[in-house]
Amino acid sequence: MISAKYYRTQVYVMALATVRSIGFSRALQSLQDEEDFEQELVDQFALAQVGAGLTDQFVRTERSVIFEFTRFLGQPVWTASPSDADRFLTYLRQERRNTRSTRESKAGTLARFFDFLIARYQGDVHALTGYVLTQPIDEFNRPSSSSSPAARVPPSDPEVETLFGQWRDALPTARKYLPAARDYLAASLWRRAGLRINETVMLDVKDWRPDLGDHGKLHIRYGKGSRGRGPKPRLVPAINSVDALLDWWFTDVRHQFGDDYLNPDAPLLPSERHDQHTGGCARAGDDALRAGLAGAVERWLPAWKGRLSPHGLRHYCASSLYARGLDLKAVQELLGHEWLSTTTRYIHVHENHVNHAWAVANERVAARLTGE
């Protein structure tokens, strides 16, 4: 088990260049040797993560989870078994009161760590300790996602059209027109382009590029990176009437917030407050945009009160574009998913769409066979 001194020491990954090769053959002759060897395994894992481009914060978080597990285990990490992971996950739930998402995250960290050990150092560990490494996180104890597919199913097309149609018609008479228009634009970007809420908040004036492509493109500079790799930028084509929305925004609305509308570094979606440092508009926060959507849903789509979120509109965007003929790969690129399998979980289609797709496919086959 790793000694207490390693928990107190803030070993940053940049200093790991001094870690010696783990491929040595001398036997572990003392408790100190075991502790040093175990620490090297953790350090090598961190070094590999840095090599993969993960952020320092992500690596530190992973290390802290591994240390938490070894403290709970009370013996060398190479002795861990699925039953030890069972006890650890139960401890996290019953005693630490960790949420399901936190337990799922920690289980994922342990699974990655042991996959790394098994792939790289199974031979070293066996030669030095006599133990054969096993993966303690398996299909039986790995926490499953707390959200069921049914919970992510978005509203129907008529419901969404009702919500946004009445919201749009009510804008001219809104008590506070500017924030109402801003919230409408943000929700429209979630509905039509599938943006994440943080991606929307971080947009600047310069990120609208009407000169790119047939419809213009939005430069998403703060796209969600995978496993701590930092922001993953992408260009999102302004299809699905996004170009018309942004033309309206810049022509009729944005300049009313303040004189910084020509500043390329000013926020695309501003607050009514001003930044005390720049003198320009402050950036609207995600809480304000969420509240704007929640208020509109409560007023014009009350059956979905408390159920329709910005992420729900992102699911709606994926489903509606796919139902209208956009292929999965294109939807994946639009949403900024690294894996196509992630995109498939965003697609929710009605039974009649499946039936129609089946009929069209049969017509294609028949046409090829008959030579038409």
Side-chain angles (χ1 to χ4, degrees):
M1 161 182 164
I2 299 174
S3 64
K5 68 177 182 179
Y6 291 111
Y7 304 119
R8 294 192 299 267
T9 304
Q10 295 298 312
V11 182
Y12 285 92
V13 176
M14 288 73 74
L16 292 179
T18 60
V19 174
R20 63 185 170 90
S21 170
I22 208 164
F24 62 98
S25 58
R26 67 177 177 81
L28 304 180
Q29 299 177 348
S30 67
L31 179 61
Q32 186 62 55
D33 285 344
E34 289 186 353
E35 292 176 354
D36 290 344
F37 180 50
E38 189 175 38
Q39 180 65 37
E40 284 191 11
L41 292 173
V42 178
D43 287 347
Q44 292 289 348
F45 177 57
L47 190 59
Q49 290 183 309
V50 172
L54 304 182
T55 64
D56 292 342
Q57 179 58 48
F58 184 85
V59 175
R60 284 194 293 268
T61 301
E62 296 263 288
R63 287 167 63 85
S64 70
V65 173
I66 296 168
F67 290 158
E68 182 181 14
F69 178 65
T70 57
R71 284 196 299 269
F72 174 86
L73 189 62
Q75 55 191 19
V77 70
W78 49 81
T79 68
S81 66
S83 62
D84 294 317
D86 294 344
R87 292 188 302 106
F88 178 65
L89 294 171
T90 301
Y91 158 77
L92 295 179
R93 178 172 59 86
Q94 294 183 347
E95 298 186 35
R96 294 294 304 277
R97 303 293 183 183
N98 284 174
T99 64
R100 178 182 290 270
S101 61
T102 299
R103 299 196 309 272
E104 185 178 358
S105 176
K106 290 182 177 181
T109 295
L110 294 179
R112 286 189 289 274
F113 176 57
F114 279 91
D115 281 346
F116 170 82
L117 295 184
I118 292 169
R120 289 201 182 183
Y121 299 119
Q122 177 73 275
D124 289 295
V125 170
H126 184 260
L128 292 170
T129 71
Y131 279 87
V132 175
L133 287 165
T134 59
Q135 172 58 269
I137 304 296
D138 57 25
E139 60 182 304
F140 302 104
N141 61 18
R142 184 187 297 268
S144 60
S145 175
S146 59
S147 56
S148 66
R152 298 191 297 265
V153 175
S156 65
D157 287 337
E159 289 174 316
V160 171
E161 290 297 335
T162 296
L163 169 63
F164 280 88
Q166 296 193 29
W167 194 352
R168 179 184 61 246
D169 292 343
L171 287 179
T173 59
R175 185 174 65 86
K176 301 184 73 174
Y177 171 74
L178 292 182
R182 177 202 64 206
D183 297 345
Y184 172 80
L185 173 66
S188 297
L189 293 177
W190 306 331
R191 167 203 179 184
R192 296 184 179 277
L195 299 191
R196 300 177 177 92
I197 187 166
N198 187 62
E199 294 171 347
T200 310
V201 167
M202 297 306 295
L203 286 171
D204 286 343
V205 169
K206 64 187 175 189
D207 294 324
W208 169 228
R209 295 294 306 276
D211 56 310
L212 299 180
D214 295 334
H215 301 276
K217 295 184 178 183
L218 274 171
H219 184 201
I220 308 301
R221 291 175 295 114
Y222 290 89
K224 181 182 179 182
S226 61
R227 288 180 52 191
R229 284 183 169 85
K232 180 183 177 183
R234 70 184 187 280
L235 288 170
V236 172
I239 60 172
N240 204 16
S241 300
V242 169
D243 50 353
L245 277 165
L246 290 169
D247 286 344
W248 160 73
W249 176 252
F250 281 104
T251 301
D252 296 341
V253 184
R254 179 58 181 86
H255 64 278
Q256 297 187 55
F257 278 91
D259 296 336
D260 64 346
Y261 67 98
L262 293 177
N263 179 359
D265 295 320
L268 179 68
L269 297 173
S271 167
E272 289 185 293
R273 301 189 305 274
H274 283 73
D275 189 303
Q276 60 179 344
H277 300 293
T278 66
C281 293
R283 192 178 301 278
D286 59 351
D287 287 343
L289 302 184
R290 288 181 191 276
L293 173 62
V297 170
E298 181 178 5
R299 183 174 179 184
W300 293 298
L301 199 62
W304 281 82
K305 177 182 176 182
R307 298 165 55 203
L308 182 58
S309 66
H311 198 70
L313 288 177
R314 180 169 157 86
H315 275 256
Y316 172 79
C317 174
S319 301
S320 64
L321 290 178
Y322 178 74
R324 288 157 59 185
L326 205 64
D327 64 59
L328 274 176
K329 183 64 177 176
V331 176
Q332 175 193 5
E333 293 178 0
L334 186 75
L335 268 59
H337 288 152
E338 183 173 4
W339 303 105
L340 192 61
S341 59
T342 305
T343 307
T344 61
R345 295 196 294 270
Y346 279 63
I347 304 299
H348 314 273
V349 295
H350 298 288
E351 183 181 357
N352 61 349
H353 175 76
V354 177
N355 292 336
H356 175 70
W358 175 253
V360 171
N362 283 334
E363 288 173 4
R364 290 199 202 100
V365 172
R368 283 200 300 269
L369 292 176
T370 59
E372 296 179 0

